[in-house]
Amino acid sequence: MLYRAICPDPREPARDTRSAGLLPEGHLFLMTTAADGRDEVYRPSTFERTALIDELARRREREMEKAGLIAPGKALLLAGGKILEYRLDQSDHDGLARYHSRGLFDEFDIPGHDSWLMLVRSEFGDVLLAWIPREFIEDAEAGMWACPSKCLRWVEGV
């Protein structure tokens, strides 16, 4: 689990960014079906999303400490990765980013949970910041290109 997060296989973005041991205990979005059969998207509050991401980060740090690894920090950027900004409230959930990124993003345009860093509130609504390893930058850019809502972008100046 942790080895894949630190040394990902460039052929497996879907697998290497979603380890079972770090599966979130909630959702940033949840698709439900209304009584009339229509699909509905449930959007948790900013507080619920922040709590979910913070708890995942704490669990990841504990797992890394148990394995004798250093928690992620600025050294990750030196390894060639980039920080991705995902504007949750601008996504149209069309699945194109999932297809073009080979699964790095899911059907809601969310990157794999192993990459989540933190949630911030901005003029665009809730924004998830995620670290994308250099091995998956090309996949991320393919997903960004395919996403018509342009809710995925690199954080500049980091």
Side-chain angles (χ1 to χ4, degrees), residues 1-120:
M1 167 184 80
L2 293 173
Y3 177 78
R4 284 200 316 247
I6 294 168
C7 301
D9 181 340
R11 297 166 296 177
E12 297 287 343
R15 182 196 71 188
D16 287 357
T17 60
R18 290 182 176 79
S19 43
L22 288 178
L23 189 65
E25 296 177 4
H27 303 279
L28 296 176
F29 291 101
L30 183 61
M31 188 67 76
T32 60
T33 304
D36 64 3
R38 287 180 301 115
D39 287 338
E40 291 183 336
V41 176
Y42 167 72
R43 291 174 168 79
S45 69
T46 299
F47 176 79
E48 292 169 313
R49 288 172 170 169
T50 300
L52 175 75
I53 293 166
D54 288 351
E55 175 56 27
L56 183 130
R58 280 189 291 276
R59 287 189 0 234
R60 178 177 51 231
E61 190 168 346
R62 282 193 303 269
E63 290 297 315
M64 291 184 82
E65 286 174 357
K66 280 188 222 174
L69 300 170
I70 298 170
K74 290 185 179 180
L76 291 175
L77 294 175
L78 297 175
K82 288 184 161 187
I83 303 295
L84 176 87
E85 176 182 293
Y86 167 49
R87 296 176 180 178
L88 282 80
D89 301 318
Q90 290 185 338
S91 175
D92 59 7
H93 321 295
D94 62 10
L96 289 172
R98 178 183 189 173
Y99 175 78
H100 289 279
S101 70
R102 298 183 310 138
L104 178 65
F105 302 112
D106 70 8
E107 64 273 12
F108 295 107
D109 304 326
I110 302 170
H113 57 263
D114 288 2
S115 68
W116 298 358
L117 297 175
M118 64 186 296
L119 186 85
V120 295

